[in-house]
Amino acid sequence: MEDKVSLAVGYAKRGFKIVMLHGINEKGNCTCSKGANCKSSGKHPIYSDWAKKATTSEEKIREEFKKHPNANIGFATGGNYFVLDIDEGGYESLKEYGELKETLSVRTGSGGSHHYYLMPEGVTIPNKVGLLKGVDIRSDGGIVVAPYSIHKSGNCYEWINEIEMATPDKWLVDLILNKRTGLKEIPDVIEEGSRNAVMASMAGALRRKGLSFDGILAALLAENNKRCNPPLSDSEVETIAKSICRYTPEDPITGEEWEEFKSKGLLDTVLNLDDYSKVYEKEMLHKFSMVKANDPSTYALIKAKLKGKVNFRDLEKSIKHMKYSEVKTYNKRPLELKGLETKGYNIPFGWNVDFKDGIVKCEQSSEGNIKTVPVSFTPVVISRRFHNLDMGTEKVELSFYRDNNWRNVLAARSVIFNRNSILKLADSSFPVSSNNSSDLISYLSDFERENDKVIPLVKSVARLGWLKDNEFFPYSTKESLEFENDSKEASTIMSGLKTNGDYIRWLEVAKKARENAVARFVISASFASILLEPLHKRGFFIHLWHNSRSGKTATIKLAMSAFGNPHKLIGSFNSTLVGLERMAAALRNLPFAIDELQVLNTKKISTENIIYMLAQGQGRTRGSKEGGIQETLTWRNIILTTGEEAMIGDNTQDGANTRTFEIYAKPVEDISLASLMHEVSEEHYGFAGSEFVTKLCKDVCDKKDFLTALYEDFKARLKVKYQDCIHIDEVSIVCLGDYLSSIYVFGEDEVSAKENAIKTALAMIENNRQLMRNDNIERAWEVFCGWVIANNQRFQFDTPSPRYGRIDANENYLVIPTYAHKALEEAGFSPKKVFRGFAERGYIESQVDSEGIRRFQISRSIGGKSCRVYVVKVPIGDKKEELNRYEAYETDFLK
């Protein structure tokens, strides 16, 4: 519960008003009274007056979570921001309007997304349900579920981009505010500046319904006097009615292209033009042509607004010539480029593409003349689109001809369709420069629009491991997916996840290696790494150490070769924290092996730092070069390490100790077997991991909760003998991995697999117990006692300076804090932490002062002067007689 409280308080500090939502119980049902019948599980407020109770008060949030510990967290939307709520089909609905700007975003539990935008200045965005298919708006009076709340599917709401909220693009604001639904959206008051446009729209709608001039005029005059502020003159209204009635009553809106475009926004575009020569641009002429043919009322209004600003004769001539050129010259020309699959592709209107001239832009002047402008010396096409299932984002693959070969480059849409960021692709030999970037983007935009329905759409992922619906990439997915990730580490690992050689040969050697309990445990741990995610367990270390030539590296290579080429999958301690972090994130749910601890430069990186960082399963928050925050890397895997020395030292913190399971043993007794293991793992790999994951995914789908049941059974069996083992959870997971891999991969029957798995696990726990050190407080106590005894002379009454304290009549050492702290710090311990621990265990005296605060330093006399000391009960034997002599001597001396 405390984690949820901390999350909610953190959100409140960022300005989000917290709403208490019903949560999801252990059975996967809503915690409300409807339970399994609830149609809004985990999404609706606990209180009916939730809007009043929405709060940023830490005190109120903590109070509410005491009442409702299983609650989900909601945000009350509105105020200074709104949320674009996108579900299935939403991205496709928005695509015809524009590309969403990157902003603070959340992936919902159902696979949709929430995009947070700042409220535009001077505009109030309303709540809207069904703005488009799969698109809702959450604003004033709305709620969204906060990140890390639980969906009824069991998935968590997660941050996609934890960056600052962006201001929405104008097209999105216009879409939300101006999406029309016929005459129902005519305002009660039509203000000056929009009177002609609205009245013409009304007239056009009435004409389509078959009304005569007299009927339209009567309706317009009535609405003009009722709504317009101030009303138009009667003659102006009559002019509008006459203009519209020149057209036939039939509805003129026809054609697939017009259905996609309509006249939405064109009038506004014309009104906002700062340079009226832009009306002669190809795109504008194309739109004018469609409006003229399909919406004459809007076209009449456009001409009225352009009166006195452009020459209508030239404009009409340009529109006519453009339409003729589009139909007769450029439209629907097949794209044919040798060596590249372009079946069904067309050259976009206004362009030429071939090997001879590359990409050429065909511009049209106001006189109707066409001139050509070279854009690229080589052909470029959009060959594929990659839709990322994890992030809901899209990348575009560009194919270009260079050095007698077709090459590919993959980049985000925000890079490719931006004239500044597209220049980054120049480093990949892509034919772009600051001179042609704008024209090249125009070409790509036209190319995509022309070939949108034939450009292959590839579903992709940017991470390995578990996906939704119990799928695991790359081994077991219901549909074909491709991997796309800019990380060098991820690309290297993906290239290593291949099969090579003979599976039977690998099995023969692996079975021989598994005859040794240590090797069996390490190999089983590589399979067990896959189980952490579905069991919701944190990552941990298994460190195998022994002398050189004991088969450690051979064992870890064989374990990793179950999944692919061990040379590409095994990391090194001769690395940086960032490098290790990126490799762990790239592997994600697969095992992470790091060989040879002794090469670690402990002056730069401590083993504790590595343990905490990798076992935590989350990377550091970092800024991106483009501004904002990079996506935080996450992983959940078992980290297998080897070395000639232990990873856990005498002064290692308890947190690192509990995250690291150490084994000291030789995993391979026979040197010739170790050599064979090296050879086989390098030549025969990648089969066992695929088979294990494929069978596991099938069982997970067929038998709900079977992994949890098996895990709890193994844990209970191991606890019978080792109740106090601090690593019981970790060993139980490896035990489960041993059992399942024995059945899935090595062909053991269930009874033998279970017996052997438990036998191996018990042997490893016993091995670890021999290495176990006391907890951090006990180790500090041992060090401190040794220091006190070694410096016993410094506590005598006749000691030379410096004096560390004295011994009292009860044989307690009265230790001056300065010296005590220095001794512990030099040994690598935190004095503040360990002295509190000493007091809790009764090793030192403590007392509660008048203010009710427990003090660990107590006032005593040293050399006749009062000072605060630690009263330490060091078990050093009977010195009563010596102490009595000391007290008597000190008394005489002071006299």
Side-chain angles (χ1 to χ4, degrees), residues 543-545 646 648 650 657 661-665 764-774:
H543 181 61
L544 172 62
W545 63 289
I648 301 299
D650 287 333
N657 199 359
F661 185 80
E662 287 198 312
I663 304 169
Y664 177 76
M764 293 303 99
I765 293 176
E766 186 57 39
N767 181 291
N768 179 260
R769 283 171 66 87
Q770 304 301 319
L771 303 175
M772 278 291 290
R773 295 160 176 81
N774 294 326

Side-chain angles (χ1 to χ4, degrees), residues 155 389-390 461-473 476-477 481 588-589:
N155 296 329
L389 298 181
D390 299 321
V461 291
R463 56 188 180 137
L464 305 173
W466 289 100
L467 308 175
K468 62 180 181 179
D469 300 327
N470 298 318
E471 297 177 81
F472 193 101
F473 183 80
S476 179
T477 57
L481 298 175
R588 195 163 164 269
N589 298 133

Side-chain angles (χ1 to χ4, degrees), residues 818-833:
T818 302
Y819 300 109
H821 292 175
K822 183 179 179 181
L824 287 168
E825 286 170 350
E826 288 178 350
F829 296 100
S830 167
K832 183 177 180 180
K833 176 180 178 181

